[in-house]
Amino acid sequence: MQSLIDHARVFPAKIADRQREFAELARGQHPQALFIACSDSRVMPSLFTGARPGEIFELRTAGNIVPPYRPQAACAVPGTLEFAVEALDVPEIVVCGHTHCGAVKGLIRPQAMETMPLVAQWLTSAGHRALDEDPDSVARHHLLTQIDHLRSYPFVARRLADGKLRLHAWFYAVDTGELLAHDPGAGEFRPL
Ligand code: ZN
């Protein structure tokens, strides 16, 4: 933790030569995309996209899960999603899954979640069961299910129909930094 504190303390001095860029951020945000990624500490969208402050709006959830639309559900995800789409008018949403995902392991082995009832409950929002034992295969199927869940939100569906929003499924390899993107036409993942 100390290294994080030390870095935070000297951060204002480190960005002193980017004063104009940071001052401009106080005027508002116009992110290029909403990134919905796993909370996993190894997955850093701003690192692999090179995004600068103000360029991506992030929603991090365990397992990059987007629960299906339920108007009365108490959950942080719908509100964050609605704000990004309705207030910030993001033109793109990227859902980013990854290799070696703990949540995906939990889908494959639900019994491992017995001591974590809140995690187990959250994983039911994933909307599917693991169909096989291959983690990457399950993770990619899981990722596409979350894309389907996104379409169930009325404000998302409306903008998709109007051509004002595009959805992307990306899959990140934590050990190589490589990214795959789902090609809906071909029905497969290909290098980004
Ligand atoms: Zn994960």
Side-chain angles (χ1 to χ4, degrees):
M1 183 67 188
Q2 192 56 48
S3 67
L4 304 179
I5 294 170
D6 292 345
H7 190 276
R9 282 180 173 151
V10 300
F11 184 67
K14 283 185 105 169
I15 62 164
D17 60 342
R18 295 165 63 186
Q19 203 171 23
R20 186 177 290 181
E21 177 193 345
F22 275 77
E24 191 67 25
L25 296 173
R27 294 161 62 93
Q29 58 170 326
H30 307 283
Q32 298 177 27
L34 164 63
F35 255 80
I36 302 174
C38 184
S39 301
D40 193 300
S41 60
R42 299 163 294 181
V43 180
M44 297 180 71
S46 59
L47 184 67
F48 58 67
T49 62
R52 298 167 75 90
E55 291 189 336
I56 58 173
F57 191 80
E58 287 189 59
L59 170 56
R60 309 289 297 260
T61 72
N64 46 270
I65 291 172
V66 180
Y69 177 63
R70 287 189 214 99
Q72 308 303 329
C75 171
V77 173
T80 308
L81 179 60
E82 186 176 54
F83 184 80
V85 172
E86 297 283 30
L88 299 179
D89 204 18
V90 291
E92 322 274 347
I93 300 177
V94 180
V95 183
C96 188
H98 68 101
T99 62
H100 307 87
C101 182
V104 169
K105 288 176 185 165
L107 290 169
I108 296 171
R109 303 238 184 287
Q111 61 274 25
M113 299 289 133
E114 278 173 2
T115 58
M116 293 180 281
L118 298 178
V119 177
Q121 173 66 24
W122 174 242
L123 290 181
T124 65
S125 304
H128 68 97
R129 289 163 180 259
L131 297 176
D132 58 51
E133 294 270 313
D134 174 40
D136 282 357
S137 166
V138 173
R140 291 176 198 184
H141 172 71
H142 168 67
L143 171 56
L144 296 179
T145 304
Q146 308 320 303
I147 292 279
D148 287 342
H149 289 176
L150 269 180
R151 297 180 197 278
S152 70
Y153 287 76
F155 48 88
V156 171
R158 192 170 59 244
R159 285 172 187 246
L160 287 172
D162 292 345
K164 293 178 178 171
L165 181 63
R166 294 194 303 174
L167 305 181
H168 310 266
W170 287 11
F171 192 69
Y172 177 70
V174 298
D175 51 343
T176 64
E178 289 173 318
L179 275 156
L180 301 175
H182 185 251
D183 179 341
E188 61 184 26
F189 283 84
R190 292 178 170 171
L192 185 65

